[in-house]
Amino acid sequence: MAAPLHPQIEALLQREDSTTGLDGEGGTPDLATLRASYLQAALELGGEPQAVARVEEIVAAGVPVRVYEPLGGSPAGAGVLLWHHGGGWVMGDLPGFDHVARELANVTRRWVVSVDYRLAPEHPHPAAERDAAAVLRWAAADGAAHFGWETDAIAVGGDSAGAQVAVAGALAAPGVAAEQLLVYPALDAAMDSESYEEFAAGPMLTRAAMAACWTAYLAGGTGPVAPLDGSDLAGLPPARIALAGHDPLRDEGARYARELEAAGVPVDLRVFDDMTHGFLRWGGVVDRAHDLIAWLARAA
């Protein structure tokens, strides 16, 4: 049984504008409406964007990215964090995760590259994973040469679906990433864990919504995807994994942590017991979002 919800989450649940576009209720909006709703929620709940030293939008290995240099400039020997946004593989974009990327850059004191990987259903699995692998290889070559970050300090990270994309990209480009920084990763299309039973109706994220996302991502199929597909995890870098207590995805994130440890990969796992799925994006109204980013930064 999860701890009681944090009062700030309780208040957010009462707000009419708290929808993430993933509640699975009230019918199925068209894709454009879902994406617009997801972006609007991020902009309204994310808080004031932090200033950074610079932001540059480029195309990296064919993938649009937004590059952030931390306020005050990147210190000598700084690494880079490649961040893959959440949104169930069907939503999310660079503007919607701008405030998260800025804070990640400033708190971790490293470059952050926000990756605009291709979305389903227009581009189903494995398009997003191929984009992630391409950007990872770029970061170790042309990206490092252009921006100056250290090639032995490249981290991959992401929240929810983006965490799965990040890890799958690292598996496809072995030996490049030095860290995994993952927030409530979406990893198991079977959706048969105890946390899926406990939180099938939410709050914030429902089993029905995740089923729709998995269907879009897998183009109607139900086959396994990396990393919980029998992939060899032994070559992956150390991981820092944050989970939310009131989240259907909680148990699959914990399972991934156990499988990494069984493969000999160091893991630092933290469960934010009083939080729901999505809280990383709500820094304007949920203080735990900043606690989460500060905890992730300890790996820097």
Side-chain angles (χ1 to χ4, degrees), residues 236-289:
L236 285 173
R240 179 161 290 220
I241 303 173
L243 307 177
H246 294 254
D247 186 354
L249 307 186
R250 182 193 64 204
D251 290 355
E252 62 206 66
R255 174 188 161 195
Y256 179 54
R258 293 193 300 270
E259 293 197 4
L260 284 173
E261 289 176 331
V265 177
V267 177
D268 190 354
L269 175 68
R270 178 174 175 183
V271 181
F272 290 77
D273 287 321
D274 55 0
M275 289 289 106
T276 65
H277 192 86
F279 77 97
L280 172 66
R281 301 185 299 122
W282 306 329
V285 294
V286 177
D287 295 337
R288 286 277 197 273

Side-chain angles (χ1 to χ4, degrees), residues 78 133 148 162-163 218:
L218 299 178

Side-chain angles (χ1 to χ4, degrees), residues 1 7 13 27 29 36 47 62 70 75 105 123 165 172 202 211-212 234 253 260 264 272:
M1 182 66 67
L13 288 169
H123 305 284
V165 171
L260 284 173
F272 290 77

Side-chain angles (χ1 to χ4, degrees), residues 120-134:
E122 299 95 327
H123 305 284
H125 170 76
E129 300 174 9
R130 289 173 176 167
D131 288 351

Side-chain angles (χ1 to χ4, degrees), residues 125-210:
H125 170 76
E129 300 174 9
R130 289 173 176 167
D131 288 351
V135 173
L136 180 53
R137 295 188 185 99
W138 165 86
D142 292 347
H146 180 77
F147 291 101
W149 53 65
E150 294 297 320
T151 57
D152 61 354
I154 300 174
V156 295
D159 57 295
S160 193
Q164 184 274 328
V165 171
V167 176
L171 285 167
V176 181
E179 296 173 280
Q180 306 173 67
L181 303 180
L182 310 176
V183 178
Y184 36 74
L187 302 173
D188 191 356
M191 300 182 296
D192 57 1
S193 67
E194 290 185 7
S195 58
Y196 259 108
E197 292 298 319
E198 185 176 358
F199 302 111
M204 293 297 181
L205 178 65
T206 67
R207 190 182 193 281
M210 276 307 304

Side-chain angles (χ1 to χ4, degrees), residues 5-284:
L5 282 171
H6 191 283
Q8 290 178 327
I9 293 292
E10 291 277 17
L12 183 57
L13 288 169
Q14 302 303 315
R15 292 179 54 164
E16 291 183 357
D17 61 355
S18 65
T19 179
T20 63
L22 283 172
D23 59 16
E25 298 177 354
T28 304
D30 64 83
L31 193 56
T33 300
L34 279 174
R35 290 172 175 169
S37 174
Y38 194 76
L39 172 59
Q40 187 65 26
L43 297 177
E44 292 184 1
L45 305 178
E48 189 69 22
Q50 295 185 6
V52 293
R54 67 164 157 154
V55 179
E56 188 171 339
E57 290 199 26
I58 63 173
V59 176
V63 183
V65 301
R66 188 177 286 183
V67 183
Y68 299 81
E69 184 178 11
L71 192 65
S74 54
V80 61
L81 170 59
L82 311 180
W83 193 261
H84 305 76
H85 63 75
W89 304 280
V90 300
M91 295 174 289
D93 52 24
L94 299 180
F97 280 76
D98 179 71
H99 67 284
V100 173
R102 287 169 179 268
E103 186 169 354
L104 280 168
N106 286 336
V107 176
T108 63
R109 298 293 298 142
R110 65 172 84 186
W111 298 88
V112 168
V113 176
S114 186
V115 182
D116 197 18
Y117 58 86
R118 287 172 290 175
L119 298 178
E122 299 95 327
H123 305 284
H125 170 76
E129 300 174 9
R130 289 173 176 167
D131 288 351
V135 173
L136 180 53
R137 295 188 185 99
W138 165 86
D142 292 347
H146 180 77
F147 291 101
W149 53 65
E150 294 297 320
T151 57
D152 61 354
I154 300 174
V156 295
D159 57 295
S160 193
Q164 184 274 328
V165 171
V167 176
L171 285 167
V176 181
E179 296 173 280
Q180 306 173 67
L181 303 180
L182 310 176
V183 178
Y184 36 74
L187 302 173
D188 191 356
M191 300 182 296
D192 57 1
S193 67
E194 290 185 7
S195 58
Y196 259 108
E197 292 298 319
E198 185 176 358
F199 302 111
M204 293 297 181
L205 178 65
T206 67
R207 190 182 193 281
M210 276 307 304
C213 290
W214 276 114
T215 297
Y217 186 48
L218 299 178
T222 58
V225 297
L228 299 182
D229 61 347
S231 295
D232 182 3
L233 306 181
L236 285 173
R240 179 161 290 220
I241 303 173
L243 307 177
H246 294 254
D247 186 354
L249 307 186
R250 182 193 64 204
D251 290 355
E252 62 206 66
R255 174 188 161 195
Y256 179 54
R258 293 193 300 270
E259 293 197 4
L260 284 173
E261 289 176 331
V265 177
V267 177
D268 190 354
L269 175 68
R270 178 174 175 183
V271 181
F272 290 77
D273 287 321
D274 55 0
M275 289 289 106
T276 65
H277 192 86
F279 77 97
L280 172 66
R281 301 185 299 122
W282 306 329

